[in-house]
Amino acid sequence: MPVVTVDWWKGNDRQKRADLVHELTSTLVRIAGCPREAVTVLVRDVEQDHWGRGGTLADEPGEVPADGAEPPEPARSVLSESR
């Protein structure tokens, strides 16, 4: 019984969540060989001010972490772009 947890930035709509759940479930069914009913997908929306990378909160525009890496880009759906 696979359980997948996805943490992503708040702001994705219901359709994007539905697309994500569908695609992840289909992939697990194909790869793991389990029935669809056995797959659980948890999607957690996280506020950008609760998400940090490289010592910087994601809601701080223009800030560059000390290691020189760029802060993460805003969340977007890649599933709808690939269709």
Side-chain angles (χ1 to χ4, degrees):
M1 169 162 56
V3 177
V4 177
T5 302
V6 178
D7 292 330
W8 65 359
W9 288 354
K10 188 174 182 177
N12 292 292
D13 62 25
R14 181 178 175 81
Q15 186 58 53
K16 288 179 183 177
R17 285 191 302 277
D19 291 345
L20 180 66
V21 168
H22 175 78
E23 293 292 334
L24 289 173
T25 300
S26 295
T27 299
L28 278 164
V29 167
R30 180 174 49 84
I31 292 173
C34 61
R36 294 185 77 76
E37 305 79 40
V39 177
T40 299
V41 179
L42 305 170
V43 181
R44 297 187 295 200
D45 291 333
V46 180
E47 295 283 351
Q48 289 185 20
D49 64 348
H50 287 81
W51 186 296
R53 178 173 168 237
T56 303
L57 291 175
D59 70 340
E60 295 177 9
E63 295 292 324
V64 178
D67 64 2
E70 291 295 321
E73 291 295 317
R76 62 185 174 84
S77 172
V78 294
L79 296 175
S80 60
E81 294 172 8
S82 65
R83 289 188 178 170

